[in-house]
């Protein structure tokens, strides 16, 4: 909902600009006051029977009941309400203490439902609470956290509040907080610089604080603005060097290779073919499992083809026919895929030379057809045993 332009304040009146409520002058004290309210509730929670009654008493005693009187004109109230609800909602995240999450939910519910609606002229009010998806999930899952000890007494109140807000379709769901879909993307957006402190020093301290909150206490402050071409090139070189170090640490020579240093052309030392340590080790467990399953399949096909009225040679012929039809179907499908790839300028079947690819599958199927060679027993099923390998290599 857009806000109509507001008239300027008359002489002698003070009007807060919308940017005030997104600045450090409002956001930082608001966060401190919320922490104070949470601490007060935590201190007195164990001695009370009615938790929400305690919250209402603290809300009134600490002056939160007058919070809506902070701004009157529509543009300022829009920024004021959205910022306040956003700061309340950020304390409901699952990284917070359960007591803090419950109190923040109480604050959000109370602040939203106490918007003035009977004043003349009427105050601006919001119909929905904008929350990111991750905060919404944490909010909905809050009752599951309150399952033991004194926290269980808070569960009925939390369930009632969430049910009321959800039934009224109060929440306006935004993308995840990491995508920064909220406006402004960060709070506070405007930083107040105290007298005697330079703007650059204040910006440096703010950047260092945000970086420490996001990346840990030992993280260096990030630079403002987009990264330069030099920074991008430096990051690419660092990533490439890190990848090379990782490959060197985990590279092993392929089986059957020459010693590590071999004299190549022009008496230059060369390295043998190598691969990653994971690929250099034969997957014996997987291979044995495949062989067992394949043998079971062949035995099942052979048993299905047996008939008491048939001779052994006839049953073997039917077994071979069934395997041959399956091999021919797979070969036909592979040829279709290879043709489709060729139409798009891709290369699929011949990338591995004679040891892999479509030509080897054709030879394995031919071995089954002729009942000769390694593939005579299973055709494509015997590729791991060397079916389809060129005998001249």
């Amino acid at each position: 909902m857009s806000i109509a332009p507001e008239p300027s304040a008359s002489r002698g009146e003070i009007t807060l600009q919308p940017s005030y409520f997104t600045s450090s002058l409002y956001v930082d004290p608001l966060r401190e006051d919320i922490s104070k309210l949470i601490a007060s509730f935590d201190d007195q929670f164990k001695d009370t029977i009615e938790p929400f009654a305690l919250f209402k008493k603290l809300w009134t005693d600490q002056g939160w009941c007058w919070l809506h009187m902070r701004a009157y004109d529509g543009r300022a109230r829009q920024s004021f309400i959205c910022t306040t609800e956003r700061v309340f909602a950020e304390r409901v995240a699952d990284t917070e203490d359960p007591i803090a999450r419950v109190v923040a939910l109480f604050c959000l519910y109370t602040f939203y439902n106490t918007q003035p609606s009977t004043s003349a002229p009427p105050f601006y009010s919001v119909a929905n609470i904008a929350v990111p998806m991750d905060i919404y999930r944490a909010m909905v899952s809050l009752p599951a956290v309150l399952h033991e000890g004194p926290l269980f007494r808070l569960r009925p109140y939390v369930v009632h509040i969430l049910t009321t807000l959800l039934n009224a379709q109060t929440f306006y769901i935004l993308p995840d907080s990491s995508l920064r879909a909220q406006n402004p993307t960060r709070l506070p957006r405007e930083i107040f610089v105290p007298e005697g402190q330079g703007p650059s020093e204040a910006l440096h301290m703010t950047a260092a604080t945000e970086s420490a909150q996001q990346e840990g206490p030992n993280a260096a402050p990030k630079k403002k603005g987009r990264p330069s071409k030099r920074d991008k090139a430096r990051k690419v070189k660092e990533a490439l060097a890190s990848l090379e170090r990782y490959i060197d640490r985990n590279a092993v020579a392929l089986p059957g290779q020459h010693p590590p240093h071999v004299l190549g052309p022009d008496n230059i030392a060369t390295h043998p073919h190598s691969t990653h340590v994971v690929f250099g080790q034969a997957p014996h467990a997987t291979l044995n499992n495949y062989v067992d399953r394949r043998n079971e399949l062949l035995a099942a096909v052979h048993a299905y083809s047996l008939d008491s009225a048939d001779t052994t040679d006839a049953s073997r012929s039917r077994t071979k026919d069934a395997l041959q039809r399956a091999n021919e179907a797979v070969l036909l499908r592979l040829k279709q895929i290879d043709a489709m790839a060729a139409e798009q300028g891709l290369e699929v079947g011949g990338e591995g030379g004679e040891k892999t690819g479509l030509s080897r599958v054709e030879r394995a199927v031919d071995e089954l057809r002729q009942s000769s060679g390694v593939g005579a027993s299973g055709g494509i099923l015997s590729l791991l045993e060397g079916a389809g390998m060129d005998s001249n290599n």
Side-chain angles (χ1 to χ4, degrees):
M1 176 180 177
S2 61
I3 301 299
E6 295 287 335
S8 59
S10 59
R11 183 175 299 177
E13 295 183 0
I14 299 176
T15 301
L16 293 173
Q17 296 297 318
S19 57
Y20 166 79
F21 295 102
T22 58
S23 68
S24 59
L25 293 174
Y26 178 74
V27 174
D28 291 344
L30 177 62
R31 287 172 172 167
E32 294 177 1
D33 291 340
I34 294 175
S35 299
K36 179 181 177 182
L37 177 61
I38 293 173
S40 301
F41 183 88
D42 192 13
D43 292 339
Q44 306 178 36
F45 166 63
K46 295 181 180 179
D47 301 329
T48 183
I49 302 177
E50 299 181 354
F52 196 75
L54 171 63
F55 168 78
K56 289 194 295 183
K57 180 179 181 302
L58 296 174
W59 180 271
T60 303
D61 293 345
Q62 296 186 12
W64 289 92
C65 57
W66 307 107
L67 185 59
H68 278 288
M69 302 295 105
R70 194 70 179 260
Y72 296 96
D73 59 286
R75 292 178 62 249
R77 279 192 62 80
Q78 183 187 42
S79 177
F80 157 69
I81 295 175
C82 294
T83 302
T84 305
E85 290 178 345
R86 179 175 172 180
V87 175
F88 283 144
E90 70 183 13
R91 297 300 299 268
V92 192
D94 50 12
T95 56
E96 296 284 341
D97 184 80
I99 291 290
R101 297 174 65 183
V102 172
V103 176
L105 181 62
F106 287 173
C107 292
L108 185 63
Y109 171 77
T110 305
F111 180 78
Y112 173 78
N113 285 282
T114 55
Q115 298 180 83
S117 58
T118 59
S119 61
F123 277 6
Y124 172 81
S125 60
V126 298
N128 300 101
I129 302 175
V131 291
M133 179 62 71
D134 54 331
I135 300 296
Y136 175 77
R137 292 196 192 99
M139 196 177 299
V140 174
S141 63
L142 181 56
V145 181
L146 311 173
H147 58 81
E148 59 182 10
L151 296 176
F152 187 76
R153 289 187 288 133
L154 296 170
R155 188 170 183 174
Y157 300 93
V158 173
V159 171
H160 172 74
I161 289 176
L162 289 176
T163 303
T164 303
L165 295 176
L166 292 175
N167 291 339
Q169 298 183 354
T170 304
F171 295 115
Y172 180 74
I173 308 301
L174 299 175
D176 197 89
S177 299
S178 59
L179 300 178
R180 304 196 177 190
Q182 295 174 292
N183 185 24
T185 57
R186 293 182 179 181
L187 286 177
R189 177 173 58 184
E190 297 84 6
I191 306 299
F192 173 71
V193 180
E195 185 177 357
Q197 184 179 4
S200 59
E201 183 180 354
L203 290 176
H204 178 75
M205 293 179 61
T206 303
T209 303
E210 293 177 353
S211 178
Q213 292 176 351
Q214 296 177 0
E215 301 181 5
N218 299 325
K222 294 182 178 179
K223 295 181 180 179
K224 291 289 184 179
R226 297 180 179 178
S228 61
K229 292 183 179 180
R230 179 178 298 177
D231 292 337
K232 292 181 179 179
R234 177 179 54 80
K235 291 182 179 179
V236 170
K237 292 180 180 179
E238 291 178 354
L240 182 60
S242 176
L243 180 60
E244 290 178 348
R245 290 194 298 269
Y246 173 77
I247 293 176
D248 292 339
R249 289 196 304 267
N250 297 277
V252 294
L254 290 174
Q257 294 292 331
H258 298 287
H261 297 283
V262 182
L263 293 180
D266 301 328
N267 293 328
I268 298 178
T270 60
H271 293 275
H273 294 289
S274 61
T275 184
H276 194 272
V277 63
V278 175
F279 300 107
Q281 298 175 356
H284 297 289
T286 306
L287 177 60
N288 295 334
N289 185 46
Y290 168 76
V291 172
D292 293 339
R293 300 288 85 78
R294 184 199 61 190
N295 294 336
E296 291 178 4
L297 174 62
L298 294 176
V301 172
H302 181 70
Y304 179 77
S305 63
L306 289 177
D307 195 319
S308 58
D310 292 340
T311 61
T312 306
D313 294 338
S315 63
R316 290 178 180 175
S317 177
R318 292 228 298 267
T319 303
K320 180 181 176 182
D321 291 342
L323 288 175
Q324 186 169 341
R325 287 195 301 271
N327 277 258
E328 295 287 352
V330 173
L331 178 60
L332 178 61
R333 182 57 179 163
L334 290 177
K335 288 182 177 180
Q336 293 175 352
I337 294 174
D338 193 70
M340 294 170 60
E343 292 177 357
Q344 300 181 8
L346 303 176
E347 186 179 6
V348 177
E351 291 181 351
E354 295 295 328
K355 296 184 178 181
T356 59
L358 186 58
S359 59
R360 183 182 172 188
V361 175
E362 290 177 341
R363 289 194 295 269
V365 175
D366 189 63
E367 289 176 358
L368 177 62
R369 188 183 303 116
Q370 298 178 4
S371 300
S372 63
V374 181
S377 59
I380 298 176
L381 296 178
S382 302
L383 288 176
L384 288 178
E385 281 75 16
M389 295 287 288
D390 192 354
S391 58
N392 296 328
N393 290 343

